[in-house]
Amino acid sequence: MIRNRVLLVLAATAVAAALALPFLSFAPNRLLSGRGIALSAVLDLPWGVALLPGVVLLAAPFLRPSKTVLAATVTAAILFAAGLVGLAGQHAAQLAATAAPAARTSFGAGFWIMETAALLAALDGVRRLGLSPPLRIAVGAAALALVAVQVAAGHLDQLSILKEYANQRDVFVAAVVRHGVIVAASLVPTLLVGVPLGVLAQRSRAVGGIVFPVLNVVQTIPSIALFGLLLAPLSALAGALPQLGISGVGLAPAVIALTLYSLLPIVRNIAAGLDGVPDSVRQAARGMGMTPRQIFLRAEVPLALPVFLSGLRITLVQAVGLAAVAALIGAGGLGAIMFQGLFANALDLVLLGAVPVILFAVVVDAALKLLVALVARGAA
Amino acid sequence: MIAFERVTKRFGPWAAVDAVSFTVEEGELCALIGPSGSGKSTALKMINRLIVPDAGTIRVAGEDIARLRPEDLRRRMGYVIQSVGLFPHWTVERNIATVPDLLGWPQARVRDRVTELLELLKLDPRRFRGAFPHQLSGGQQQRVGVARALAAEPRILLMDEPFSALDPITREALQAELATIHRETRTTIVFVTHDMDEALKLANRIAVLDQGRLVQCAPPLEILTRPADDFVRDLVGREEWGLKVLAVETVGQRVRPDGEAAGVPLPSAMPLRRALSEMVARGTDRLPVVDDQGRPAGVLHLADLVRP
Amino acid sequence: MTGRVLDLLTDRLTLALLVLTALMFGMPALKPLFAVLYPSLERPLYEADSFLALTADHLALVGLSSLGAVLVGCTAGIVVTRPSGAEFRGLLEAVATMGQTFPPVAVLAVAVPAIGFGVEPALIALTLYALLPIVENTVAGLEGVPASVLETARGLGMRPVEILLRVELPLAAPVILAGIRTAVIINVGTAAIASTVGAKTLGLPIIIGLNGSNPAYVIQGAAVVAVLAVVLDFGFDRLTFLLSRWRV
């Protein structure tokens, strides 16, 4: 009898992908398209063993979902996911031993589907177990760590994405740093302007009536358009006042645009957070003789904090994505690598830029969710 | 009309309804009463098969309802719940027209029926037919809920604590209107409540449930004067028990056919409790009585109220 | 009569539409203006395609991907809120929430190694990305239907399909529409960036302008796509208002 239809669907999808789709793709050089390599062709030891956890995943849908079974499913899924990566790395190394240096071995469609199915199986198991947010993040970190260890050990070096990384290591590191700088730099003006604006907007309906519609319109404008529209005034400003050290392209328009986009979530969440403070709390604080400043700092801020942090989370995740687009106006960062790959038809370069951007966003999201959970628990 | 034959429903190991058997005659208003968890709502929902019994049979007009398609069964019955559940995106008119529309009534007939029902429930059709539920008060919403339940002229009306969420004044008004509607339409009504006074006021027959078992099923006077056990006695309440008995009987049941007395006469359908109140108010121990047509029917003596 | 015309004219949706129409058809008329602003530019006006055609292509990409996302996403949301599909709900919601942390531009870029260049990866990426808020909002909207309403609908004798079509979906519509709106607005922006993967949209003048240091092109493309996005947003706002007359 089927006990876990979700897992069954995922397992079936993975099996179908393993049989029907290429696991890896091997091309003699960057320009030619690769030929597919099936999973069955790469099952050599020692990494072939890594597929054994897959047996657990095939059996688990028919077992009663007790805590043990679920924990075993999650563990098996993570191991299987890491094992697939290791298998790919092993085979890439084997191929590289006899091929020209320009040859590329990259992940095929089959790999991506199996990997996604495994990670979703882990996610499903984590959900059914009802783990708390910190524990869920720990599981995610473990999954990531199993791959990171392989990267650090050099096992995956012959996969095209890492060969690309090896070629571009300095550029890559500089791009990551730059990407972080753009996001962090925009955070300062966002908070400086957004926090007071949010407080004002919540207290005065007139202010709110102007601020929210304007910010809503800004939010609607496509990011690349906003970057573009900032070019002209900023170039003019740079031309008129060269001592400011800004120009129409690069960091300045990026930071300004990111700030503008970040204002709405911050302002909206501060206003909502303050709105959510019950009036009775404010009245009690006044009754106890607190000054308005004390009421704000000791009563309102702590209660509004979780909602504000949620807004900060949305802002930061959004900013990571916007910073990638800002590469188009010369701001640098991981987006530069991504677009360089797109313009030059170098697909592994594209992945080298895009995958870290996604990881960056996911990590920021998880970190802030953890922070919100800790603050909420502390407040309770 | 409705017959429960050893009906049982279990949720896990615990029996919400335990081998319950009783009948509701056509045209009767039967109140299902008991504390929370007694199974009264569950029993009601088995009549329109929102819940399916694990054992036993329920017959409506002699037919085993398990044989019918649930939707067909439900379209023949009216259903009113405590939280009303009006469709917020439909006007009052369209809400009331729900079942007639499902049955495919012609538009003109539906419109007339809506007008008729709004008037029956004392809602001005011109004001209310185009209104949306959120524009109505709680009492008005429940009136629409009752109208909706009656729209397709069902022979059976199921009501699950319909007035419990309303304020006492609105509740009393709606109880009175339900009594009138019951008298005029002769619909069979099964009415769940936890309020014994409501049951005593409205019901022809009261079925008392305790933890899924039927403790007693009898007319109000019998529940009052011959309760099956302490549970029923406690449910009725010992305070002002005497007044509850008086509330259930009418003047006509204790009038002495001959004799005369002074004063504005009492209608013979008036509950004895009000008659007592009148006597106290007027400071007399006897009052004349008239029947439905206004003809003299005798005299009511205070002494007769007290006789065993 | 004049009152209603005046209302229409000062209505922000109408105004935005007028601006958009003016830009789409009248951009060539602004050529002298750009020539004056940027005298050093040889080509002050983007002329390779008409802005009308670019807008149409842009809308086609956004429209097609949104339609696909609505069909798949709403169906998934409905299935997952029925008893038979409830088992899949948790994972679907988790994926939809998590997926929305992925920056749209990165999802677009990743589609290229998988599918190639052109309008296809853009269409796939935009559809996938639009699925997330639509699924999330379809589930939330259907969940938000009060239990008492569902109970009476059943009790009155409506069949499950009738309940879904006549009660649940109309009541969930405003929330679902909000999800569609979010998806469309994000997709308008991502579709502009899709010019980098070979799709022809309003982003093309912007990208060409950025690559070739032609600020006039950039401004022209940016202005049209910005107004387009605003028009769509105002439009959804109006639609939501029209659908919600029964709400408190």
Side-chain angles (χ1 to χ4, degrees):
Chain A
M1 202 173 74
I2 304 172
R3 298 304 191 98
N4 188 337
R5 280 151 71 208
V6 179
L7 192 55
L8 188 64
V9 167
L10 290 172
T13 315
V15 168
L19 295 173
L21 291 171
F23 184 68
L24 292 175
S25 165
F26 179 78
N29 60 49
R30 237 188 200 191
L31 300 171
L32 296 176
S33 46
R35 67 171 167 83
I37 304 176
L39 180 65
S40 44
V42 312
L43 289 175
D44 307 311
L45 299 173
W47 278 93
V49 176
L51 289 194
L52 282 180
V55 174
V56 175
L57 295 175
L58 287 173
F62 305 98
L63 300 173
R64 194 177 65 86
S66 64
K67 295 229 167 198
T68 330
V69 169
L70 289 172
T73 311
V74 173
T75 320
I78 299 178
L79 288 173
F80 185 73
L84 282 179
V85 176
L87 215 71
Q90 172 183 270
H91 197 80
Q94 282 177 353
L95 288 175
T98 52
R104 289 173 44 226
T105 312
S106 44
F107 296 120
F111 167 84
W112 286 119
I113 294 184
M114 291 174 75
E115 188 76 9
T116 311
L119 291 173
L120 286 179
L123 187 60
D124 180 58
V126 160
R127 263 191 355 92
R128 284 181 198 240
L129 277 169
L131 297 181
S132 63
L135 274 178
R136 293 184 190 212
I137 293 176
V139 169
L144 218 59
L146 285 175
V147 174
V149 156
Q150 293 181 52
V151 172
H155 177 73
L156 304 175
D157 277 350
Q158 293 308 318
L159 286 166
S160 56
I161 185 174
L162 279 155
K163 277 171 91 170
E164 204 66 66
Y165 167 71
N167 289 344
Q168 310 262 358
R169 189 197 318 258
D170 296 329
V171 175
F172 179 80
V173 172
V176 171
V177 170
R178 177 72 162 194
H179 205 104
V181 164
I182 300 174
V183 172
S186 69
L187 199 56
V188 174
T190 305
L191 291 175
L192 280 177
V193 175
V195 172
L197 205 56
V199 174
L200 271 175
Q202 190 259 340
R203 295 200 177 170
S204 154
R205 197 170 295 186
V207 172
I210 300 176
V211 165
F212 282 117
V214 168
L215 288 181
N216 266 310
V217 169
V218 169
Q219 199 70 300
T220 310
I221 298 178
S223 55
I224 193 176
L226 192 64
F227 286 133
L229 289 170
L230 281 173
L231 268 186
L234 278 176
S235 307
L237 191 62
L241 295 169
Q243 54 268 68
L244 276 181
I246 58 166
S247 73
V249 295
L251 204 55
V255 169
I256 295 178
L258 256 69
T259 306
L260 287 173
Y261 279 117
S262 304
L263 279 176
L264 180 65
I266 290 285
V267 168
R268 186 177 52 197
N269 275 46
I270 288 186
L274 287 173
D275 247 349
V277 174
D279 258 336
S280 48
V281 170
R282 287 195 190 90
Q283 283 169 16
R286 249 177 75 196
M288 283 193 275
M290 290 195 193
T291 65
R293 200 179 123 117
Q294 284 173 325
I295 298 178
F296 180 71
L297 287 175
R298 296 198 206 174
E300 296 186 280
V301 166
L303 287 176
L305 198 57
V307 180
F308 163 69
L309 286 177
S310 255
L312 190 63
R313 173 177 67 87
I314 296 172
T315 304
L316 285 175
V317 169
Q318 184 184 248
V320 169
L322 289 172
V325 179
L328 285 171
I329 56 163
L334 286 163
I337 299 181
M338 204 174 71
F339 285 113
Q340 186 187 338
L342 282 174
F343 291 140
N345 202 350
L347 300 178
D348 293 299
L349 210 54
V350 173
L351 283 179
L352 190 64
V355 172
V357 168
I358 296 179
L359 279 175
F360 199 153
V362 169
V363 165
V364 163
D365 185 66
L368 269 153
K369 276 206 178 112
L370 194 59
L371 189 60
V372 172
L374 287 174
V375 163
R377 205 190 298 178
Chain B
M1 187 68 176
I2 303 176
F4 270 59
E5 294 165 12
R6 297 196 58 77
V7 175
T8 303
K9 177 69 188 175
R10 273 179 218 99
F11 292 114
W14 148 65
V17 175
D18 197 352
V20 166
S21 303
F22 67 97
T23 41
V24 180
E25 302 298 327
E26 189 167 354
E28 264 189 353
L29 192 155
C30 174
L32 294 178
I33 191 165
S36 49
S38 54
K40 50 193 196 294
S41 277
T42 311
L44 185 82
K45 289 191 201 173
M46 288 200 274
I47 302 178
N48 62 1
R49 277 183 88 75
L50 285 178
I51 296 179
V52 176
D54 293 320
T57 317
I58 301 177
R59 289 183 204 280
V60 167
E63 259 186 291
D64 181 356
I65 61 172
R67 301 252 181 89
L68 298 167
R69 236 183 52 164
E71 286 88 25
D72 293 329
L73 178 70
R74 290 169 198 158
R75 291 176 195 183
R76 293 201 262 148
M77 298 182 185
Y79 186 52
V80 183
I81 59 175
Q82 184 176 0
S83 43
V84 191
L86 291 183
F87 303 131
H89 58 308
W90 285 355
T91 57
V92 163
E93 171 151 22
R94 213 169 148 197
N95 262 284
I96 298 178
T98 305
V99 183
D101 279 341
L102 285 175
L103 293 173
W105 285 20
Q107 279 304 316
R109 185 177 169 203
V110 174
R111 226 174 306 130
D112 289 337
R113 182 70 178 145
V114 169
T115 314
E116 189 185 333
L117 285 163
L118 283 171
E119 286 171 352
L120 184 65
L121 270 303
K122 309 247 180 13
L123 295 166
D124 179 1
R126 280 165 310 168
R127 220 183 111 197
F128 285 101
R129 47 178 351 126
F132 283 97
H134 72 85
Q135 297 169 301
L136 306 178
S137 71
Q140 289 163 340
Q141 284 186 14
Q142 194 54 291
R143 285 168 197 267
V144 175
V146 174
R148 179 173 65 172
L150 293 171
E153 294 161 350
R155 284 162 64 198
I156 298 176
L157 184 59
L158 302 176
M159 308 182 90
D160 195 344
E161 307 213 39
F163 309 139
S164 304
L166 301 169
D167 65 271
I169 298 175
T170 316
R171 192 183 312 149
E172 249 195 75
L174 281 173
Q175 284 168 350
E177 275 165 48
L178 182 66
T180 312
I181 293 172
H182 179 219
R183 251 199 324 274
E184 288 177 9
T185 61
R186 301 266 90 216
T187 317
T188 309
I189 304 182
V190 183
F191 188 104
V192 168
T193 178
H194 62 271
D195 181 355
M196 186 49 104
D197 290 322
E198 189 173 50
L200 290 169
K201 201 189 298 186
L202 296 171
N204 304 118
R205 184 181 298 270
I206 299 180
V208 180
L209 292 162
D210 178 24
Q211 292 181 359
R213 302 191 139 266
L214 181 67
V215 176
Q216 186 174 8
C217 183
L221 191 58
E222 201 176 314
I223 298 276
L224 282 168
T225 54
R226 289 204 299 273
D229 59 12
D230 277 333
F231 175 78
V232 181
R233 203 172 283 127
D234 286 334
L235 207 60
V236 170
R238 297 172 200 259
E239 277 184 35
E240 304 204 335
W241 180 87
L243 290 176
K244 293 192 189 178
V245 176
L246 287 182
V248 164
E249 285 197 64
T250 57
V251 167
Q253 289 169 281
R254 301 223 187 163
V255 64
R256 291 192 208 171
D258 26 65
E260 295 200 348
V264 177
L266 303 171
S268 71
M270 176 185 278
L272 279 178
R273 184 173 163 165
R274 269 193 68 192
L276 175 65
S277 176
E278 287 295 315
M279 288 186 186
V280 169
R282 301 190 217 171
T284 171
D285 67 346
R286 63 198 71 191
L287 283 171
V289 176
V290 292
D291 66 12
D292 302 334
Q293 275 84 38
R295 294 182 302 232
V299 176
L300 182 69
H301 292 254
L302 180 61
D304 291 335
L305 264 56
V306 187
R307 70 168 156 82
Chain C
M1 166 71 181
T2 7
R4 287 207 64 182
V5 172
L6 212 61
D7 272 342
L8 196 66
L9 283 178
T10 48
D11 170 47
R12 60 181 196 170
L13 178 58
T14 323
L15 287 171
L17 265 171
L18 285 173
V19 173
L20 181 65
T21 321
L23 284 176
M24 276 196 305
F25 289 99
M27 193 62 85
L30 291 173
K31 185 168 178 178
L33 174 66
F34 285 106
V36 164
L37 285 173
Y38 297 101
S40 56
L41 281 181
E42 219 179 85
R43 275 189 268 264
L45 179 75
Y46 182 81
E47 283 168 319
D49 309 281
S50 76
F51 280 92
L52 181 61
L54 286 175
T55 310
D57 287 329
H58 198 108
L59 279 175
L61 183 57
V62 173
L64 216 59
S65 58
S66 302
L67 189 64
V70 165
L71 287 173
V72 175
C74 287
T75 312
I78 292 173
V79 165
V80 133
T81 42
R82 307 299 103 183
S84 49
E87 201 180 348
F88 291 85
R89 181 172 155 187
L91 191 62
L92 189 66
E93 282 190 296
V95 168
T97 326
M98 245 182 28
Q100 287 182 80
T101 57
F102 290 18
V105 63
V107 173
L108 180 67
V110 160
V112 171
I115 301 167
F117 279 92
V119 78
E120 293 87 4
L123 199 56
I124 304 278
L126 260 65
T127 310
L128 278 177
Y129 211 80
L131 272 175
L132 307 172
I134 291 178
V135 165
E136 199 177 27
N137 277 41
T138 305
V139 172
L142 288 171
E143 278 295 298
V145 177
S148 58
V149 170
L150 292 176
E151 189 182 335
T152 41
R154 265 185 83 206
L156 290 171
M158 283 187 167
R159 286 196 312 265
V161 172
E162 286 170 328
I163 300 180
L164 178 66
L165 292 175
R166 295 199 205 187
V167 178
E168 294 186 86
L169 283 178
L171 287 176
V175 179
I176 300 180
L177 192 65
I180 300 179
R181 177 182 183 170
T182 307
V184 167
I185 300 302
I186 295 180
N187 273 6
V188 169
T190 315
I193 305 175
S195 297
T196 55
V197 306
K200 198 189 317 177
T201 67
L202 283 166
L204 199 53
I206 305 180
I207 303 290
I208 293 180
L210 285 172
N211 275 350
S213 296
N214 188 330
Y217 282 11
V218 175
I219 295 177
Q220 286 151 20
V224 181
V225 78
V227 176
L228 176 65
V230 169
V231 164
L232 285 172
D233 193 53
F234 287 174
F236 270 104
D237 205 47
R238 181 61 45 83
L239 194 58
T240 309
F241 172 72
L242 290 174
L243 275 181
S244 305
R245 268 170 314 164
W246 51 264
R247 279 183 132 190
V248 178

